[in-house]
Amino acid sequence: MSEKHPGLRERTRRAVQKEIAEAAKVLFVERGFEATTIDDIAAAVGMSQRSVFRYFATKEEIVLGKFDLVVDEMLAALRARPADEPVWTSLHRVFDVLVALAETPGHEEMVEPIHRMVFETPALLAGYLQKLQHMQDAVVTELLERAEAVGAPYAADDPTPRALTAAAFGCLVAAQHSWLASGAKGSFADAIDRAMATVGPRT
């Protein structure tokens, strides 16, 4: 069964992961990331510690694991953009996937404290930045393939696709900091728009 259409076993696994993650995030916000143990999380969902570890290898992955799934959605969003669209515009629209995730009904109240926790917890921040690098690498590969497909490939030593992607993701992180500094006033989408506008359009 393809990743696009996961089978019953995978759908069940993702449902359990979601249940664990949602319960854990409530505990993290209430008690703090460091003070919350895997035993606490297991008790909250009626599982054993061992069972929780079957779904998440580490406590950090409970918070950050969603980004592994988001990569596929971001790449799909990039592929859906017009091939002749300026790269900067396409990258901006790719972040709509993250905006939609942040604005999922019923989860808005958790977005700010979880973001703040990630940036204030060294282990989580390190893991998050690693996830972002993985996303960037995947996006760069897609941009190279897109350029090749329209007959305008980048030279092997051309820094353009990686530079633009790094700049866009830098704007994403800047937007997150700005949004948190404002007390999460206004939308996350507006924060991204403002950050990316400071760099300006690029082709």
Side-chain angles (χ1 to χ4, degrees), residues 122-145:
L124 286 175
L125 180 57
Y128 177 58
L129 294 177
Q130 185 177 48
K131 298 283 187 185
L132 287 186
Q133 185 59 56
H134 173 60
M135 289 182 184
Q136 289 184 60
D137 291 342
V139 167
V140 168
T141 297
E142 187 63 34
L143 290 177
L144 291 172
E145 292 177 356

Side-chain angles (χ1 to χ4, degrees), residues 13-199:
R13 177 178 177 80
R14 291 183 184 181
V16 175
Q17 285 179 318
K18 181 179 179 181
E19 179 185 359
I20 294 171
E22 290 180 351
K25 287 174 185 178
V26 171
L27 293 175
F28 292 151
V29 171
E30 290 178 349
R31 307 178 184 181
F33 181 77
E34 298 294 350
T36 303
T37 67
I38 291 294
D39 282 335
D40 294 332
I41 297 167
V45 293
M47 292 183 178
S48 66
Q49 182 191 79
R50 184 174 181 180
S51 293
V52 172
F53 278 127
R54 285 214 311 266
Y55 293 95
F56 294 99
T58 66
K59 192 167 68 169
E60 288 77 12
E61 276 301 303
I62 297 177
V63 178
L64 303 174
K66 64 184 178 182
F67 291 107
D68 293 327
L69 299 177
V70 169
V71 171
D72 289 337
E73 294 181 44
M74 293 176 70
L75 293 179
L78 181 56
R79 294 185 192 109
R81 305 305 302 173
D84 59 350
E85 182 175 67
V87 171
W88 191 251
T89 302
S90 295
L91 292 173
H92 192 168
R93 297 279 62 88
V94 163
F95 293 146
D96 289 344
V97 172
L98 299 180
V99 170
L101 188 65
E103 297 178 351
T104 301
H107 294 271
E108 299 97 326
E109 71 281 357
M110 297 293 292
V111 174
E112 179 192 359
I114 292 297
H115 268 75
R116 200 174 295 282
M117 181 180 72
V118 168
F119 282 108
E120 293 176 353
T121 307
L124 286 175
L125 180 57
Y128 177 58
L129 294 177
Q130 185 177 48
K131 298 283 187 185
L132 287 186
Q133 185 59 56
H134 173 60
M135 289 182 184
Q136 289 184 60
D137 291 342
V139 167
V140 168
T141 297
E142 187 63 34
L143 290 177
L144 291 172
E145 292 177 356
R146 183 169 88 166
E148 182 77 28
V150 298
Y154 291 105
D157 62 348
D158 189 342
T160 300
R162 189 166 292 280
L164 287 174
T165 301
F169 276 82
C171 286
L172 170 65
V173 174
Q176 291 169 324
H177 280 290
S178 177
W179 185 68
L180 290 174
S182 74
K185 296 176 182 176
S187 71
F188 184 44
D190 287 343
I192 292 177
D193 290 344
R194 288 175 55 206
M196 296 196 74
T198 65
V199 176

